Structure formats: structure tokens, C-alpha cells
């Protein structure tokens, strides 16, 4: 069974950076879109970014465009999210998922807290 | 942005009950809707996509219907393993998507 495991979350000061990783195992990784989403405290899950299997398409939510970069390494079955210029409003649990519309596999999330 | 509302926000039911959860979109989304189940400490689990297509391996007691702005998820005969929180998600606004606030189903 497919398993997605996020890592790299933590406490960071406003203006700082973090790099999230998502390791996939159990099923093919390289032929699929992958997605990052987040859930801030008390709010619904929201889409952050996605990336096509061949890296030819990357999409970002307006709230993160220019600050976050999604990437992947198909040889390592891994997805990444480089987060720069972090703001308090980026505080959330970040999830990776396989797919671009409906998501057929999700990770359990990693918590990012942006605070001084 | 497309907003989703779910009703009820919670419900109590017994094993064997028929349960219906409603999801309403703030604008028409055709059939671009998915349903997920989540149990405490576990990842979201896709149940249904395109409003009524059951994901392979999901029990047939789950069914979905609707199009446009109004959708329903029905559990025909609630089983002990179905006590969980259920979320709808729209993906008509690709590449973005949005989720509803969830409906918690617990034991009466």
C-alpha cells in the first residue's frame, strides 16, 4: 500500500525558510502529479501547489507564489516544498498528496509554525 | 473562490442506519467533487470522485450523487468502521481546490 511521509516541519521565525520533504513508497511515483496542501488552525484544507510528473507544469496558490517552490526527484520517489519569506499566516499542517484534482493518497502531515 | 458547506456538521447514528451527508458549493462545479473519510491520527482516505465514482476497494454501501451545486454522500448501512469525519472537496477550479468543513459521524 502506498505510503506518503512528510518531514521538515518545525518552528521558524517570520522571514525564514524551511524545506519540506515527502517520501513515497509502495506504488509508482514518477507517472503522477503530486500536490501540497495545508490546513491552518481552525480552517479548512487548502491547496498550495502541484507539479506534473515530468516537471513541465508547476502551479501555485496566489498566497504562496514567488515565495514557495515545489520540486520532485523521481529517482528518489520524493516531493519537496521550499518555503521562503515565511509569514505568520503560513502556519499550518502541510500535507502531500498524489494527484491533481482528487487526491488518492495523502500523508499525515508535518506542522510548520511561523512565529517570533 | 468556491466555498463548500456541509450539513450536518455532526451526527449521531447507530450501526445499520442509513446516513446522508450534504455538500453545497457556492457556484456550479459540474461533477468535480470528491469525498474523503478521516479517522483520528490517520491520513485522509479517498472514497469517491467525480461525485459518484467509487474508488476501487471502497465498500459499495457508500454512494454519491449530485451535480452543479448540491451533492450527497450516503452510507446505506452504517458499519462500526464508518464512524469518522467526512469531507467533500471540489476540484472544478483547477489547479486549486477547496474542502468543506467536515461532518463528524459518531455513535449514538
Amino acid at each position: 500500500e502506498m505510503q506518503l511521509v512528510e518531514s521538515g516541519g518545525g518552528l521558524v521565525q517570520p522571514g525564514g525558510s524551511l524545506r519540506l520533504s515527502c517520501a513515497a513508497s509502495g506504488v509508482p511515483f514518477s507517472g503522477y502529479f503530486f500536490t501540497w496542501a495545508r490546513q491552518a488552525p481552525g480552517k479548512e484544507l487548502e491547496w498550495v501547489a502541484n507539479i506534473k510528473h515530468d516537471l513541465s507544469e508547476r502551479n501555485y496558490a496566489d498566497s504562496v507564489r514567488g515565495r514557495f517552490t515545489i520540486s520532485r526527484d523521481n529517482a528518489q520517489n520524493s516531493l519537496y516544498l521550499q518555503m521562503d519569506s515565511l509569514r505568520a499566516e503560513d502556519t499550518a499542517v502541510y500535507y502531500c498528496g498524489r494527484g491533481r484534482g482528487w487526491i488518492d493518497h495523502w500523508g499525515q502531515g508535518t506542522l510548520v509554525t511561523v512565529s517570533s | 473562490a468556491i466555498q463548500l458547506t456541509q450539513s450536518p456538521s455532526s451526527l449521531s447514528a447507530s450501526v445499520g442506519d442509513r446516513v446522508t451527508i450534504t455538500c453545497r458549493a457556492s457556484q456550479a462545479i459540474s461533477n468535480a467533487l470528491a469525498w474523503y473519510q478521516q479517522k483520528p491520527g490517520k491520513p485522509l482516505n479517498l472514497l469517491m470522485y467525480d461525485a459518484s465514482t467509487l474508488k476501487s476497494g471502497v465498500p459499495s454501501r457508500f454512494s454519491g450523487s449530485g451535480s452543479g451545486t448540491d451533492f450527497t454522500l450516503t452510507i446505506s448501512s452504517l458499519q462500526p468502521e464508518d464512524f469518522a469525519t467526512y469531507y467533500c472537496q471540489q476540484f472544478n477550479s483547477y489547479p486549486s481546490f477547496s474542502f468543506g468543513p467536515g461532518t463528524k459521524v459518531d455513535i449514538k
Side-chain angles (χ1 to χ4, degrees), chain B residues 14-63:
Chain B
S14 301
V15 172
D17 284 353
R18 180 181 181 89
V19 170
T20 298
I21 299 168
T22 297
C23 178
R24 176 164 289 173
S26 59
Q27 62 191 74
I29 58 170
S30 185
N31 67 337
L33 190 99
W35 289 97
Y36 299 86
Q37 176 193 68
Q38 189 171 38
K39 298 180 181 179
K42 298 292 187 181
L44 284 163
N45 178 36
L46 177 69
L47 299 174
M48 198 112 38
Y49 57 92
D50 292 345
S52 60
T53 302
L54 203 63
K55 179 188 173 185
S56 177
V58 173
S60 59
R61 63 181 178 273
F62 291 92
S63 63

Side-chain angles (χ1 to χ4, degrees), chain A residues 3 8 10 15 27-28 40 53 57 63-64 69 75 81 90 92 101 104 109 112 114:
Chain A
Q3 189 173 20
V27 289
H53 62 278
E57 181 180 337
S63 57
V64 307
T69 303
L81 187 68
D90 297 318
D104 65 359
V112 172
V114 184

Side-chain angles (χ1 to χ4, degrees), chain A residues 33 35-37 39 44-48 50 57 59-60 95 100-108, chain B residues 34 36 38 41-46 48-50 55 87 89 91 94-101:
Chain A
F33 262 87
T35 290
W36 285 101
Q39 186 167 27
E44 283 82 39
L45 196 66
E46 68 166 342
W47 172 73
V48 171
N50 68 16
E57 181 180 337
N59 298 293
Y60 297 93
Y95 299 90
R100 58 169 167 167
W102 70 86
I103 305 298
D104 65 359
H105 293 281
W106 290 93
Q108 287 195 271
Chain B
Y36 299 86
Q38 189 171 38
K42 298 292 187 181
L44 284 163
N45 178 36
L46 177 69
M48 198 112 38
Y49 57 92
D50 292 345
K55 179 188 173 185
Y87 296 91
Q89 176 220 3
F91 47 92
Y94 181 82
S96 74
F97 56 65
S98 54
F99 274 71

